[in-house]
Amino acid sequence: VGDFLQNLFLHVSSRIDNDLSAWYCPWMKIVFDVDNCLVDFTKSFRQFCREQFPPHGIDMDESTYGLGMDPDVLHDMIKRWWESPAAARVEFFPGAVDTFNDLAFRHDVEIVSSFPEEHRQKREANLVPLSFHRGIVLLPGNEKRDYIVKANPDIAIEDKPDLIETFALDGITVLFPRWQPYARAAAERLASRPVRIHGFDHWDEVP
């Protein structure tokens, strides 16, 4: 393991490397994000917004994380989403549960996410199919960033552009879902930097 990690950390990639086998080792510390990595928050949220607004009353831009909304409207709608039954019905991405459970069985896995504390029970119910992990760490955005940087995991699985950039520039290997255009764009912006970023198109691609 020591030789592998030494070789991995000596390797500096100036491109977005999609060969995920390059980062595998027998034991790793892995931090998972939840929304839009493991579960399809955006799909559920968009459907909720369509039910709340007239057909053309909201910009549902597929290419942006903020869904094209005014920030105040977005904040209010996310709050209303959490308070609705929709928040209890989010779906996992195909292959996410099996891949997570396999990694959690073989590695030190932690879930670190940002969601309202008052809805912890609802979120924990969402994640019942996930096994073997050390639990769910709930933190606001900036505290989540600082917690993960301090924990210094071998791998961070993340979709949010600012966190992808922060973790990668801090020397953490980042895996991101390529089906999220905003995550893909964040990785492309770092393509010329000496960072370790790996995209995957399906959870089955993650060893």
Side-chain angles (χ1 to χ4, degrees):
V1 177
D3 291 342
F4 179 89
L5 289 176
Q6 183 178 14
N7 291 334
L8 174 63
F9 284 91
L10 285 174
H11 172 70
V12 176
S13 175
S14 61
R15 60 190 174 85
I16 300 173
D17 187 351
N18 293 313
D19 179 10
L20 298 186
S21 63
W23 58 263
Y24 175 78
C25 68
W27 185 91
M28 293 180 294
K29 184 175 183 178
I30 305 174
V31 171
F32 276 80
D33 183 43
V34 177
D35 290 308
N36 289 336
C37 284
L38 289 169
V39 302
D40 197 345
F41 162 77
T42 299
K43 177 181 177 181
S44 176
F45 184 65
R46 284 194 179 116
Q47 180 59 40
F48 177 74
C49 289
R50 291 189 183 103
E51 293 169 357
Q52 299 293 314
F53 285 86
H56 302 291
I58 190 168
D59 177 10
M60 302 298 282
D61 184 349
E62 298 284 332
S63 67
T64 59
Y65 181 66
L67 304 171
M69 292 185 190
D70 175 272
D72 291 337
V73 175
L74 177 62
H75 178 79
D76 180 64
M77 289 302 296
I78 290 176
K79 181 176 182 292
R80 290 163 62 182
W81 179 84
W82 272 110
E83 294 169 350
S84 76
R89 297 195 302 264
V90 290
E91 300 175 0
F92 284 93
F93 288 106
V97 172
D98 289 343
T99 299
F100 178 96
N101 288 342
D102 180 61
L103 289 172
F105 182 73
R106 295 183 287 119
H107 302 285
D108 179 13
V109 168
E110 190 168 34
I111 298 170
V112 183
S113 187
S114 300
F115 56 89
E117 175 62 41
E118 61 268 28
H119 299 298
R120 173 181 284 275
Q121 186 174 3
K122 193 175 292 185
R123 175 40 52 92
E124 289 178 342
N126 292 156
L127 304 182
V128 163
L130 304 180
S131 305
F132 308 117
H133 59 85
R134 289 199 281 131
I136 302 172
V137 177
L138 168 61
L139 294 167
N142 289 342
E143 292 183 24
K144 173 186 172 180
R145 178 199 63 204
D146 296 343
Y147 177 90
I148 293 175
V149 168
K150 184 176 180 180
N152 192 31
D154 299 294
I155 305 290
I157 301 179
E158 183 60 65
D159 71 302
K160 296 178 182 62
D162 58 325
L163 296 183
I164 288 174
E165 181 173 356
T166 296
F167 300 156
L169 293 176
D170 204 63
I172 299 169
T173 298
V174 179
L175 304 187
F176 71 94
R178 288 183 55 81
W179 61 82
Q180 303 294 4
Y182 55 85
R184 204 163 57 241
E188 289 168 356
R189 287 195 296 271
L190 293 170
S192 63
R193 305 290 294 273
V195 295
R196 297 182 298 275
I197 302 178
H198 310 264
F200 59 98
D201 293 301
H202 192 281
W203 276 104
D204 290 347
E205 297 174 13
V206 180

